[in-house]
Amino acid sequence: LSSLRNDEDDDTPLSSSPPLHLLEVSCPSLLESHLGASEKNISQLFALARSYRPCVLILNHLEVIAGVRGRDTTSEGTMDRLLSTLLVT
C-alpha cells in the first residue's frame, strides 16, 4: 500500500491519507417486524457511516428494501416507507 500514490501530491504516499472505513451490511438484516424498527435501523446505519468518515458503505441485497415505489403490497406500506427512509437518509 505504501507504494501507491495519492493523485493530489506525487510525493505523498497513499498510506499517509486518513483511514478509509468500510462498512458492509446485508440489507435483509435491517428488516424487523415491529412498525418503524426497520426505518430506525436504516437511519442508525447511515449515522454510523457518517461517524466513521471517510467511509464506504456497501449495501448487499439492496433490492430487498429498494423496490419500485408505489408497488408495495403490504397493508402498512412498509417497503415504501423503507425506500423513502433510504432516499432521505
Side-chain angles (χ1 to χ4, degrees), residues 2-63:
S2 62
S3 65
L4 297 175
R5 300 280 178 194
N6 189 339
D7 288 338
E8 295 176 8
D9 184 1
D10 289 340
D11 297 327
T12 306
L14 188 60
S15 62
S16 68
S17 299
L20 178 66
H21 300 281
L22 177 67
L23 292 175
E24 185 173 3
V25 176
S26 176
C27 289
S29 69
L30 298 171
L31 300 177
E32 289 194 30
S33 60
H34 301 291
L35 190 61
S38 300
E39 294 89 335
K40 183 178 178 181
N41 289 342
I42 291 172
S43 295
Q44 288 176 340
L45 173 64
F46 278 87
L48 179 67
R50 281 190 293 273
S51 73
Y52 282 113
R53 267 184 266 189
C55 179
V56 174
L57 179 59
I58 299 173
L59 299 172
N60 290 324
H61 308 290
L62 182 62
E63 67 277 4

